[in-house]
Amino acid sequence: MQDIHPMPDKSTALSLYQGMVTIREFEERARREGDAGKPVGGIHSSVGQEAVAVGICRYLRKDDYVLGNHRSHHHCLAKGVDMKEMMAELMGKATGTNKGKGGTMHIADKNVGMLGANGVIGSNVPVAAGAALSAKLRGTDQVAVVFFGDGGANQGALHETLNLAAIWNLGVIFVCENNRYAESTPVEYSLAGGSVANRASAYGIVGETVDGQDVLDVSAAMERAVDRARAGDGPSIIEAKTYRYYGHHGADDPLRYRTRDEEEFYRNRDCIATFKARIIEEELGTGEELQEIDASILESLDEAVKFADESPWPDPQELVADVYVTY
Amino acid sequence: MQDIHPMPDKSTALSLYQGMVTIREFEERARREGDAGKPVGGIHSSVGQEAVAVGICRYLRKDDYVLGNHRSHHHCLAKGVDMKEMMAELMGKATGTNKGKGGTMHIADKNVGMLGANGVIGSNVPVAAGAALSAKLRGTDQVAVVFFGDGGANQGALHETLNLAAIWNLGVIFVCENNRYAESTPVEYSLAGGSVANRASAYGIVGETVDGQDVLDVSAAMERAVDRARAGDGPSIIEAKTYRYYGHHGADDPLRYRTRDEEEFYRNRDCIATFKARIIEEELGTGEELQEIDASILESLDEAVKFADESPWPDPQELVADVYVTY
Amino acid sequence: MTTTESKATERSRISFVQSINEAITQEMERDPTVIVMGEDVAGAPGKKDQGFEDAWGGVFKLTKGLIGKFGPQRVLDTPISEAGFIGAGVGAAATGLRPIVELMFVGFYGVCADQITNNAAKMHYMFGGKVTLPLTIITNTGTGAGAAAQHSETLYSIFTHFPGLKCVVPSDAYTAKGLMTAAIRDDDPVIIFLHKLLLGRTRAGLRPSEEYAVPEEPYIVPIGKANVVREGEDLTMIGIGYTTGLCLQAAEALQQQGVNAEVIDLLSLSPMDEETILESVKKTRRAVIVDEDYPRCSVASDISALIAEQAFDYLDAPPKRVTPPHSPVPYSIMLERLFAPTKEKVIQAASEVLEA
Amino acid sequence: MTTTESKATERSRISFVQSINEAITQEMERDPTVIVMGEDVAGAPGKKDQGFEDAWGGVFKLTKGLIGKFGPQRVLDTPISEAGFIGAGVGAAATGLRPIVELMFVGFYGVCADQITNNAAKMHYMFGGKVTLPLTIITNTGTGAGAAAQHSETLYSIFTHFPGLKCVVPSDAYTAKGLMTAAIRDDDPVIIFLHKLLLGRTRAGLRPSEEYAVPEEPYIVPIGKANVVREGEDLTMIGIGYTTGLCLQAAEALQQQGVNAEVIDLLSLSPMDEETILESVKKTRRAVIVDEDYPRCSVASDISALIAEQAFDYLDAPPKRVTPPHSPVPYSIMLERLFAPTKEKVIQAASEVLEA
Ligand SMILES: Cc1ncc(C[n+]2csc(CCOP(=O)(O)OP(=O)(O)O)c2C)c(N)n1
Ligand SMILES: Cc1ncc(C[n+]2csc(CCOP(=O)(O)OP(=O)(O)O)c2C)c(N)n1
Ligand SMILES: [Mg+2]
Ligand SMILES: [Mg+2]
């Protein structure tokens, strides 16, 4: 963690800003659509954690791989999954990324390197190692990133995969979004030793802790990790300290297990607000410019919802299609 | 690891000696019985690793728990399982520890705290935490020890259990018998970071590496670990550097993956031979006394084999008995 | 009289969830060796001094209130380490406790199957009967919540496959309490499968209200016994948990057409009450089996095979299974509703069997 | 002629293990994306500079010699981390490789079931068909080696339960090579189950020698097709892998008694060749199903149910299953030999079906 990172050039700054706002607004819109009775699924909102996804994806190429968990809308959007198709997927429409068959916890789009969210905690971690192995054997320098939570850190599959990636020197970057809770369970209770990044030393690999509310701190660590991965110097852990603003999912009231003060503390360090302030302060963009970005995002979201609304339901035949390639 | 430990008093020294020779001779005898065509099962011989089991069990009470793995004859004997019943179990007889239904990889005797060997790598690790949890809730200071190999160190269940035992402050002692190989796979290849004991720091617990060929070095670390466990100071890892003299199992020729030189190196530091030399050197026992111990062990083994030979096969009804308590 | 009546009314409104919760509470009161472990079974662990406790009480509130009564020693929130804590349940069961562990959704079995099928199921046998494992596993199943392929499975068939495990599936609040109590008291490992769509239901969901009030005092629904919940002569419909309700609804509809269906609420998959099934089918000579688990190698297959082999000479028609297709659970609500058995599909199957 | 003949003789002596090995070798030659992962699939990893390589070639030598031909990039020894490396197989399969992974004994499935049934089985479906998973899992099964409850299971029934997986079970060296080749080339995840007692066998174990020599050139035994390995009219016996041999032996014995049994070698459990089964049973009107997996919710149940439901009107007797009891596998050789189906048990069952 570094105190203050210098701001990047204007276009990068605006693109990071845009990335974060896109996620925030997508989540808020999906939430509202759900409240209005549309079947968007039991969304695990990523609001509050935008900087992690955007910071991590900043140094990824389209052909790099990302694997997510149950809370993955931000990963998908940051990796470039189409917003319209995502919205259609949430609503279970035929035009969705997954033809409406996966939903919020399983969004995937291989064309942009998003190899899938996954509803089982820890389950995607080994899969990421396989993607990195495949890149290595195919002789490319693609890297694979897998996101998991502070709760996910205690699944056995993570341990096995850290070891495997280390001995095989795979280009996997293990990103822990430590948002302090797994459902209602605080990380202080569940995580022996208190740090996911420090567990790296057990495997002889590099682990870094970053401020997950600062997109530049996240991306700085990511740049180092990607360089190592592409150079064949093996895997890394990045633990991003972050916070989810809402409950675990729509029906969860987080004030049953955390204080309003704590929430305020994090909201006061909001990743978008602070980054926006710096853009303006350092004159990389004007308030109007940023408003234009916001407006165009909102417009895209209107289009996405319209697209999803107007899209057809999957054909009943889809129930039994895609179980196999051939059977 | 400490260079030279002072020898204990005479009776302790002789009892440690006896414990190790018992294991060695039991294994050699079982092996010979197998070679002679008796159905002793695919034994994973513990010859070479006797000091680990005996050193660990030195500070255990009868009511403490031990959980083993696939290579567990030494654990059983060191914890006090009856040799006759063990031999009968190997031969699948009704008088065996498990009524002939478990065999070499599943020997258990709850009466002496041996909660079972286990054929699945890593599988018994969480079970040990459960035994320790139960002791804690029942308000006793019993500890639970689980043995696993260098290969077993890479199973996910170990990670989960280390974390669990640490946050719940359980009296579990995780003993890794690092005998340098998992089947034909060298630990240098399989174990990222190179040390199991060092992984303790990831969980904020104590890890120690000991010379597994020195029963006193093992037991010294164990005394510390048991004290911590009984005092409610939580779990520990003990990694014992040791060596198996034979192949992975009876049919394995270890010279396909390791040198004779390496084998010689370890055999020259044999845990029994070196301890015996010190007993004599420090005049804790004479050659004759030790020979007497040896002889009585061999005699017990003759009796054990006779007992096993003469014991009846399980009744055919046993095939379907003990599946449930009630059904 | 009024008090008794209103008491009965109240007890008849007890939901499935409350009923499970009551069973656990009563057994924990009765037996100090009963403990509960699982993710967020209380919630906000370690935060009592900050004024937080029992924040969740389990994902479906099955364990709500327990920590207040029994404290964090006996109600243990766990990390997301199912192999770790279910394995710990095995070890605790082998050493004097009666642990209840929650596997949040049955689809997560894959991260801890080793502890369930290699340890819990086999230790009693492998150890020659010398160790017992009074472990209860609670798990949640079923489609109907738009939760997609990994969070909507049924899967009791794969556990029924393993010798050494007992598997039970309550169908309403009454059987939920009774089977839960029986499971906790049982000396073998028992898995109790709870269908999401039943959880909020009162007993009236399955059978008419007050006379079927859930008793306050502890009671047992015996493991291994099926219930004939509706008598009839024209065909036998066999339901499991949630699908028993579908069978009853279908039976009502068929009654309009003059068909009198018998409905069996299976309740227990392992052991399975073969006698009740066979007796009924020998009487009605026709059988429809309704199951939400995947069709291949399933409890439905087992029942069909049982009937075919043991009641062959009595049958007027081959048995018929109503199950999902051989396909994962789709997300889209429009597809999901085509997946599981419905009342209409049961009626359709019954008609086919009656015409055969 | 002599060279050809001796070649044929030689090829007829190829064992089951060699046959699998040859299939993998040929596919690796043909397709550079095929890789192999597993514990000690080569052995002595990292020790080549000390003169060690290919120390094991797999616990049963299924992968012996591969590392010499294809190097450690394509033949990867793994730590004992099945969830890790089978999950890596899923990821590699999703990104352009065709991994073959070995799960040493099927009973170890419990430490990696999540990767197999939640990821490999469901991803293609959950992702709307946009990702394919050409993953092959080899695993070893069966009793007969005194290896007790955890190392002797069969368990293909639980994988057959899951939509999205294909399951195949070769019965001899010929079908081993052909199914292995088919599995590797298949675009879906396929599990191939190899029975310990078959591994050392030459093809002659199942059918008479030279004319059935295992072809040298690559070939496919199609997934989803059963073989009628013996024609007959009096009853149908259905075998799976190892038990097909038992059926053939029983059929020979029954021939002495003037009974002419048809024997089906099922080969593929998912998809299952229902047509071949039904056609045969409709002809013979009687069926015996022989399976070494546990009896409950099993392939045997499935087949029995299939026959009962689809061939009901043709049957002269109810189908009969020959399986182990509902019990774990005991260690003692005297108990173990009572566990699995035997030729005698098959004959006994056939007699009962014929008398019914
Ligand atoms: C194996 C498994 N166990 C339990 C769950 C239920 N579950 C879903 S999300 C969650 C909490 C995850 O916490 P964390 O990893 O910190 O991620 P976050 O929700 O905070 O993003 C749990 C327990 C699951 N999906 N998979
Ligand atoms: C989950 C699982 N995977 C694989 C095996 C097969 N296996 C048995 S022993 C063994 C090697 C174990 O090595 P290690 O843990 O170092 O113990 P050691 O044999 O050296 O005592 C393996 C791979 C198993 N029993 N269980
Ligand atoms: Mg979290
Ligand atoms: Mg070892």
PDB file of all heavy atoms in Angstrom, chain A residues 90 92 100 119 154-155 181 183-185 189 257 324, chain C residues 40 43-44 47 77 80-82 150 326-327 331-332 334:
ATOM      1  N   LEU A  90     -29.308 -11.310 -16.716  1.00  0.00           N
ATOM      2  CA  LEU A  90     -29.940 -11.201 -15.391  1.00  0.00           C
ATOM      3  C   LEU A  90     -31.434 -11.469 -15.482  1.00  0.00           C
ATOM      4  O   LEU A  90     -32.022 -12.062 -14.585  1.00  0.00           O
ATOM      5  CB  LEU A  90     -29.708  -9.814 -14.790  1.00  0.00           C
ATOM      6  CG  LEU A  90     -28.261  -9.428 -14.464  1.00  0.00           C
ATOM      7  CD1 LEU A  90     -28.238  -8.132 -13.673  1.00  0.00           C
ATOM      8  CD2 LEU A  90     -27.565 -10.529 -13.680  1.00  0.00           C
ATOM      9  N   GLY A  92     -32.811 -13.361 -17.589  1.00  0.00           N
ATOM     10  CA  GLY A  92     -33.087 -14.708 -18.092  1.00  0.00           C
ATOM     11  C   GLY A  92     -33.561 -14.730 -19.530  1.00  0.00           C
ATOM     12  O   GLY A  92     -34.340 -15.608 -19.912  1.00  0.00           O
ATOM     13  N   GLY A 100     -29.430 -16.849 -21.086  1.00  0.00           N
ATOM     14  CA  GLY A 100     -30.404 -16.872 -19.999  1.00  0.00           C
ATOM     15  C   GLY A 100     -30.312 -18.099 -19.107  1.00  0.00           C
ATOM     16  O   GLY A 100     -31.105 -18.272 -18.190  1.00  0.00           O
ATOM     17  N   GLY A 119     -20.841 -19.862  -8.537  1.00  0.00           N
ATOM     18  CA  GLY A 119     -21.601 -19.742  -7.300  1.00  0.00           C
ATOM     19  C   GLY A 119     -21.045 -20.506  -6.115  1.00  0.00           C
ATOM     20  O   GLY A 119     -21.495 -20.317  -4.995  1.00  0.00           O
ATOM     21  N   ASN A 154     -10.710 -19.294   2.933  1.00  0.00           N
ATOM     22  CA  ASN A 154     -10.618 -20.469   3.793  1.00  0.00           C
ATOM     23  C   ASN A 154     -11.106 -21.755   3.149  1.00  0.00           C
ATOM     24  O   ASN A 154     -11.324 -22.751   3.834  1.00  0.00           O
ATOM     25  CB  ASN A 154     -11.348 -20.197   5.106  1.00  0.00           C
ATOM     26  CG  ASN A 154     -10.706 -19.040   5.839  1.00  0.00           C
ATOM     27  OD1 ASN A 154      -9.478 -18.961   5.921  1.00  0.00           O
ATOM     28  ND2 ASN A 154     -11.508 -18.118   6.333  1.00  0.00           N
ATOM     29  N   GLN A 155     -11.272 -21.744   1.842  1.00  0.00           N
ATOM     30  CA  GLN A 155     -11.614 -22.979   1.133  1.00  0.00           C
ATOM     31  C   GLN A 155     -10.329 -23.719   0.774  1.00  0.00           C
ATOM     32  O   GLN A 155      -9.346 -23.110   0.333  1.00  0.00           O
ATOM     33  CB  GLN A 155     -12.371 -22.665  -0.158  1.00  0.00           C
ATOM     34  CG  GLN A 155     -13.887 -22.633   0.009  1.00  0.00           C
ATOM     35  CD  GLN A 155     -14.519 -23.993   0.259  1.00  0.00           C
ATOM     36  OE1 GLN A 155     -14.003 -25.020  -0.177  1.00  0.00           O
ATOM     37  NE2 GLN A 155     -15.616 -24.003   0.988  1.00  0.00           N
ATOM     38  N   TYR A 181     -16.389  -9.058   5.345  1.00  0.00           N
ATOM     39  CA  TYR A 181     -17.458  -9.972   5.769  1.00  0.00           C
ATOM     40  C   TYR A 181     -17.666 -11.086   4.758  1.00  0.00           C
ATOM     41  O   TYR A 181     -17.515 -10.869   3.546  1.00  0.00           O
ATOM     42  CB  TYR A 181     -18.793  -9.218   5.940  1.00  0.00           C
ATOM     43  CG  TYR A 181     -18.735  -8.223   7.059  1.00  0.00           C
ATOM     44  CD1 TYR A 181     -18.337  -6.911   6.812  1.00  0.00           C
ATOM     45  CD2 TYR A 181     -18.997  -8.611   8.363  1.00  0.00           C
ATOM     46  CE1 TYR A 181     -18.215  -6.002   7.853  1.00  0.00           C
ATOM     47  CE2 TYR A 181     -18.875  -7.711   9.409  1.00  0.00           C
ATOM     48  CZ  TYR A 181     -18.476  -6.412   9.143  1.00  0.00           C
ATOM     49  OH  TYR A 181     -18.355  -5.521  10.184  1.00  0.00           O
ATOM     50  N   GLU A 183     -20.940 -13.133   4.225  1.00  0.00           N
ATOM     51  CA  GLU A 183     -22.292 -13.021   4.782  1.00  0.00           C
ATOM     52  C   GLU A 183     -22.195 -12.167   6.045  1.00  0.00           C
ATOM     53  O   GLU A 183     -21.732 -11.027   5.962  1.00  0.00           O
ATOM     54  CB  GLU A 183     -22.912 -14.411   5.006  1.00  0.00           C
ATOM     55  CG  GLU A 183     -23.071 -15.141   3.656  1.00  0.00           C
ATOM     56  CD  GLU A 183     -23.700 -16.518   3.730  1.00  0.00           C
ATOM     57  OE1 GLU A 183     -23.817 -17.066   4.841  1.00  0.00           O
ATOM     58  OE2 GLU A 183     -24.070 -17.040   2.663  1.00  0.00           O
ATOM     59  N   SER A 184     -22.541 -12.709   7.196  1.00  0.00           N
ATOM     60  CA  SER A 184     -22.479 -11.889   8.406  1.00  0.00           C
ATOM     61  C   SER A 184     -21.231 -12.163   9.231  1.00  0.00           C
ATOM     62  O   SER A 184     -21.103 -11.687  10.359  1.00  0.00           O
ATOM     63  CB  SER A 184     -23.721 -12.158   9.264  1.00  0.00           C
ATOM     64  OG  SER A 184     -23.589 -13.378   9.961  1.00  0.00           O
ATOM     65  N   THR A 185     -20.320 -12.958   8.682  1.00  0.00           N
ATOM     66  CA  THR A 185     -19.157 -13.379   9.460  1.00  0.00           C
ATOM     67  C   THR A 185     -17.974 -12.439   9.218  1.00  0.00           C
ATOM     68  O   THR A 185     -17.479 -12.346   8.099  1.00  0.00           O
ATOM     69  CB  THR A 185     -18.769 -14.814   9.079  1.00  0.00           C
ATOM     70  OG1 THR A 185     -19.885 -15.664   9.350  1.00  0.00           O
ATOM     71  CG2 THR A 185     -17.563 -15.290   9.865  1.00  0.00           C
ATOM     72  N   TYR A 189     -13.013 -12.797  12.671  1.00  0.00           N
ATOM     73  CA  TYR A 189     -13.375 -14.085  13.265  1.00  0.00           C
ATOM     74  C   TYR A 189     -12.870 -15.243  12.426  1.00  0.00           C
ATOM     75  O   TYR A 189     -12.371 -16.241  12.952  1.00  0.00           O
ATOM     76  CB  TYR A 189     -14.898 -14.186  13.391  1.00  0.00           C
ATOM     77  CG  TYR A 189     -15.400 -15.537  13.873  1.00  0.00           C
ATOM     78  CD1 TYR A 189     -15.436 -15.834  15.237  1.00  0.00           C
ATOM     79  CD2 TYR A 189     -15.829 -16.510  12.973  1.00  0.00           C
ATOM     80  CE1 TYR A 189     -15.889 -17.066  15.689  1.00  0.00           C
ATOM     81  CE2 TYR A 189     -16.281 -17.749  13.418  1.00  0.00           C
ATOM     82  CZ  TYR A 189     -16.305 -18.027  14.771  1.00  0.00           C
ATOM     83  OH  TYR A 189     -16.750 -19.243  15.207  1.00  0.00           O
ATOM     84  N   TYR A 257     -25.106  -6.834  11.635  1.00  0.00           N
ATOM     85  CA  TYR A 257     -23.779  -7.320  12.038  1.00  0.00           C
ATOM     86  C   TYR A 257     -22.667  -6.278  11.890  1.00  0.00           C
ATOM     87  O   TYR A 257     -21.508  -6.580  12.098  1.00  0.00           O
ATOM     88  CB  TYR A 257     -23.416  -8.601  11.273  1.00  0.00           C
ATOM     89  CG  TYR A 257     -23.597  -8.524   9.768  1.00  0.00           C
ATOM     90  CD1 TYR A 257     -22.604  -7.988   8.970  1.00  0.00           C
ATOM     91  CD2 TYR A 257     -24.767  -8.980   9.166  1.00  0.00           C
ATOM     92  CE1 TYR A 257     -22.774  -7.912   7.592  1.00  0.00           C
ATOM     93  CE2 TYR A 257     -24.959  -8.911   7.793  1.00  0.00           C
ATOM     94  CZ  TYR A 257     -23.950  -8.374   7.015  1.00  0.00           C
ATOM     95  OH  TYR A 257     -24.107  -8.298   5.661  1.00  0.00           O
ATOM     96  N   TYR A 324     -24.931 -31.226 -23.390  1.00  0.00           N
ATOM     97  CA  TYR A 324     -23.739 -31.816 -24.010  1.00  0.00           C
ATOM     98  C   TYR A 324     -23.537 -31.173 -25.375  1.00  0.00           C
ATOM     99  O   TYR A 324     -24.476 -30.612 -25.945  1.00  0.00           O
ATOM    100  CB  TYR A 324     -23.935 -33.320 -24.222  1.00  0.00           C
ATOM    101  CG  TYR A 324     -24.149 -34.106 -22.952  1.00  0.00           C
ATOM    102  CD1 TYR A 324     -25.434 -34.325 -22.452  1.00  0.00           C
ATOM    103  CD2 TYR A 324     -23.068 -34.637 -22.238  1.00  0.00           C
ATOM    104  CE1 TYR A 324     -25.632 -35.050 -21.284  1.00  0.00           C
ATOM    105  CE2 TYR A 324     -23.263 -35.362 -21.069  1.00  0.00           C
ATOM    106  CZ  TYR A 324     -24.546 -35.563 -20.594  1.00  0.00           C
ATOM    107  OH  TYR A 324     -24.732 -36.276 -19.439  1.00  0.00           O
TER     108      TYR A 324
ATOM    109  N   ASP C  40     -22.689 -18.988   9.415  1.00  0.00           N
ATOM    110  CA  ASP C  40     -23.705 -18.021   9.841  1.00  0.00           C
ATOM    111  C   ASP C  40     -24.905 -18.681  10.521  1.00  0.00           C
ATOM    112  O   ASP C  40     -26.013 -18.163  10.446  1.00  0.00           O
ATOM    113  CB  ASP C  40     -24.149 -17.164   8.644  1.00  0.00           C
ATOM    114  CG  ASP C  40     -22.952 -16.471   7.999  1.00  0.00           C
ATOM    115  OD1 ASP C  40     -22.548 -15.435   8.497  1.00  0.00           O
ATOM    116  OD2 ASP C  40     -22.399 -17.021   7.029  1.00  0.00           O
ATOM    117  N   GLY C  43     -24.340 -16.028  13.319  1.00  0.00           N
ATOM    118  CA  GLY C  43     -24.081 -14.790  12.575  1.00  0.00           C
ATOM    119  C   GLY C  43     -23.431 -13.752  13.444  1.00  0.00           C
ATOM    120  O   GLY C  43     -23.608 -13.756  14.674  1.00  0.00           O
ATOM    121  N   ALA C  44     -22.642 -12.884  12.802  1.00  0.00           N
ATOM    122  CA  ALA C  44     -21.897 -11.858  13.533  1.00  0.00           C
ATOM    123  C   ALA C  44     -21.042 -12.459  14.650  1.00  0.00           C
ATOM    124  O   ALA C  44     -20.971 -11.904  15.748  1.00  0.00           O
ATOM    125  CB  ALA C  44     -22.827 -10.786  14.089  1.00  0.00           C
ATOM    126  N   LYS C  47     -18.825 -10.684  17.730  1.00  0.00           N
ATOM    127  CA  LYS C  47     -19.201  -9.269  17.792  1.00  0.00           C
ATOM    128  C   LYS C  47     -20.207  -8.971  18.898  1.00  0.00           C
ATOM    129  O   LYS C  47     -20.860  -7.927  18.884  1.00  0.00           O
ATOM    130  CB  LYS C  47     -19.781  -8.837  16.445  1.00  0.00           C
ATOM    131  CG  LYS C  47     -18.732  -8.671  15.363  1.00  0.00           C
ATOM    132  CD  LYS C  47     -19.274  -7.782  14.261  1.00  0.00           C
ATOM    133  CE  LYS C  47     -18.203  -6.905  13.644  1.00  0.00           C
ATOM    134  NZ  LYS C  47     -18.762  -5.900  12.728  1.00  0.00           N
ATOM    135  N   ASP C  77     -20.435 -20.659  14.662  1.00  0.00           N
ATOM    136  CA  ASP C  77     -20.283 -20.134  13.311  1.00  0.00           C
ATOM    137  C   ASP C  77     -18.936 -20.597  12.772  1.00  0.00           C
ATOM    138  O   ASP C  77     -17.932 -20.575  13.476  1.00  0.00           O
ATOM    139  CB  ASP C  77     -20.321 -18.602  13.341  1.00  0.00           C
ATOM    140  CG  ASP C  77     -21.743 -18.069  13.441  1.00  0.00           C
ATOM    141  OD1 ASP C  77     -22.585 -18.506  12.638  1.00  0.00           O
ATOM    142  OD2 ASP C  77     -21.996 -17.230  14.322  1.00  0.00           O
ATOM    143  N   ILE C  80     -15.913 -20.550   5.781  1.00  0.00           N
ATOM    144  CA  ILE C  80     -16.473 -21.271   4.623  1.00  0.00           C
ATOM    145  C   ILE C  80     -15.523 -22.412   4.296  1.00  0.00           C
ATOM    146  O   ILE C  80     -14.765 -22.373   3.333  1.00  0.00           O
ATOM    147  CB  ILE C  80     -16.669 -20.327   3.431  1.00  0.00           C
ATOM    148  CG1 ILE C  80     -17.396 -19.051   3.897  1.00  0.00           C
ATOM    149  CG2 ILE C  80     -17.485 -21.019   2.337  1.00  0.00           C
ATOM    150  CD1 ILE C  80     -17.526 -18.000   2.819  1.00  0.00           C
ATOM    151  N   SER C  81     -15.561 -23.419   5.138  1.00  0.00           N
ATOM    152  CA  SER C  81     -14.627 -24.544   5.080  1.00  0.00           C
ATOM    153  C   SER C  81     -15.418 -25.809   5.368  1.00  0.00           C
ATOM    154  O   SER C  81     -15.298 -26.412   6.428  1.00  0.00           O
ATOM    155  CB  SER C  81     -13.530 -24.376   6.142  1.00  0.00           C
ATOM    156  OG  SER C  81     -12.865 -23.148   6.031  1.00  0.00           O
ATOM    157  N   GLU C  82     -16.237 -26.213   4.421  1.00  0.00           N
ATOM    158  CA  GLU C  82     -17.146 -27.334   4.675  1.00  0.00           C
ATOM    159  C   GLU C  82     -16.389 -28.630   4.973  1.00  0.00           C
ATOM    160  O   GLU C  82     -16.815 -29.406   5.825  1.00  0.00           O
ATOM    161  CB  GLU C  82     -18.091 -27.541   3.491  1.00  0.00           C
ATOM    162  CG  GLU C  82     -19.218 -26.517   3.393  1.00  0.00           C
ATOM    163  CD  GLU C  82     -18.816 -25.235   2.682  1.00  0.00           C
ATOM    164  OE1 GLU C  82     -17.626 -25.091   2.330  1.00  0.00           O
ATOM    165  OE2 GLU C  82     -19.693 -24.374   2.475  1.00  0.00           O
ATOM    166  N   GLN C 150     -26.128 -24.426  -9.715  1.00  0.00           N
ATOM    167  CA  GLN C 150     -25.360 -24.907  -8.552  1.00  0.00           C
ATOM    168  C   GLN C 150     -26.103 -24.770  -7.227  1.00  0.00           C
ATOM    169  O   GLN C 150     -25.693 -25.363  -6.228  1.00  0.00           O
ATOM    170  CB  GLN C 150     -24.026 -24.142  -8.460  1.00  0.00           C
ATOM    171  CG  GLN C 150     -23.101 -24.390  -9.648  1.00  0.00           C
ATOM    172  CD  GLN C 150     -21.832 -23.559  -9.596  1.00  0.00           C
ATOM    173  OE1 GLN C 150     -21.819 -22.483  -8.978  1.00  0.00           O
ATOM    174  NE2 GLN C 150     -20.776 -24.027 -10.232  1.00  0.00           N
ATOM    175  N   HIS C 326     -32.895 -34.921 -17.964  1.00  0.00           N
ATOM    176  CA  HIS C 326     -31.465 -35.102 -17.679  1.00  0.00           C
ATOM    177  C   HIS C 326     -30.741 -33.819 -18.099  1.00  0.00           C
ATOM    178  O   HIS C 326     -30.147 -33.740 -19.168  1.00  0.00           O
ATOM    179  CB  HIS C 326     -30.967 -36.317 -18.472  1.00  0.00           C
ATOM    180  CG  HIS C 326     -29.519 -36.660 -18.233  1.00  0.00           C
ATOM    181  ND1 HIS C 326     -29.033 -37.059 -17.016  1.00  0.00           N
ATOM    182  CD2 HIS C 326     -28.446 -36.669 -19.073  1.00  0.00           C
ATOM    183  CE1 HIS C 326     -27.740 -37.309 -17.114  1.00  0.00           C
ATOM    184  NE2 HIS C 326     -27.357 -37.070 -18.347  1.00  0.00           N
ATOM    185  N   SER C 327     -30.814 -32.835 -17.242  1.00  0.00           N
ATOM    186  CA  SER C 327     -30.291 -31.509 -17.569  1.00  0.00           C
ATOM    187  C   SER C 327     -30.021 -30.750 -16.274  1.00  0.00           C
ATOM    188  O   SER C 327     -30.706 -30.963 -15.274  1.00  0.00           O
ATOM    189  CB  SER C 327     -31.345 -30.775 -18.412  1.00  0.00           C
ATOM    190  OG  SER C 327     -31.408 -29.418 -18.100  1.00  0.00           O
ATOM    191  N   TYR C 331     -31.298 -21.158 -15.328  1.00  0.00           N
ATOM    192  CA  TYR C 331     -31.548 -19.950 -14.541  1.00  0.00           C
ATOM    193  C   TYR C 331     -32.882 -19.284 -14.875  1.00  0.00           C
ATOM    194  O   TYR C 331     -33.694 -19.015 -13.995  1.00  0.00           O
ATOM    195  CB  TYR C 331     -30.405 -18.965 -14.771  1.00  0.00           C
ATOM    196  CG  TYR C 331     -30.700 -17.577 -14.252  1.00  0.00           C
ATOM    197  CD1 TYR C 331     -30.705 -17.319 -12.883  1.00  0.00           C
ATOM    198  CD2 TYR C 331     -30.977 -16.526 -15.119  1.00  0.00           C
ATOM    199  CE1 TYR C 331     -30.975 -16.052 -12.398  1.00  0.00           C
ATOM    200  CE2 TYR C 331     -31.255 -15.253 -14.637  1.00  0.00           C
ATOM    201  CZ  TYR C 331     -31.249 -15.026 -13.282  1.00  0.00           C
ATOM    202  OH  TYR C 331     -31.522 -13.772 -12.807  1.00  0.00           O
ATOM    203  N   SER C 332     -33.073 -18.980 -16.136  1.00  0.00           N
ATOM    204  CA  SER C 332     -34.238 -18.193 -16.545  1.00  0.00           C
ATOM    205  C   SER C 332     -35.522 -18.768 -15.944  1.00  0.00           C
ATOM    206  O   SER C 332     -35.789 -19.967 -16.046  1.00  0.00           O
ATOM    207  CB  SER C 332     -34.341 -18.197 -18.073  1.00  0.00           C
ATOM    208  OG  SER C 332     -35.514 -17.518 -18.477  1.00  0.00           O
ATOM    209  N   MET C 334     -38.341 -18.709 -16.984  1.00  0.00           N
ATOM    210  CA  MET C 334     -39.186 -19.349 -17.980  1.00  0.00           C
ATOM    211  C   MET C 334     -38.736 -20.783 -18.248  1.00  0.00           C
ATOM    212  O   MET C 334     -39.536 -21.625 -18.638  1.00  0.00           O
ATOM    213  CB  MET C 334     -39.170 -18.545 -19.284  1.00  0.00           C
ATOM    214  CG  MET C 334     -39.853 -17.210 -19.163  1.00  0.00           C
ATOM    215  SD  MET C 334     -41.505 -17.307 -18.431  1.00  0.00           S
ATOM    216  CE  MET C 334     -42.442 -17.714 -19.909  1.00  0.00           C
TER     217      MET C 334
END
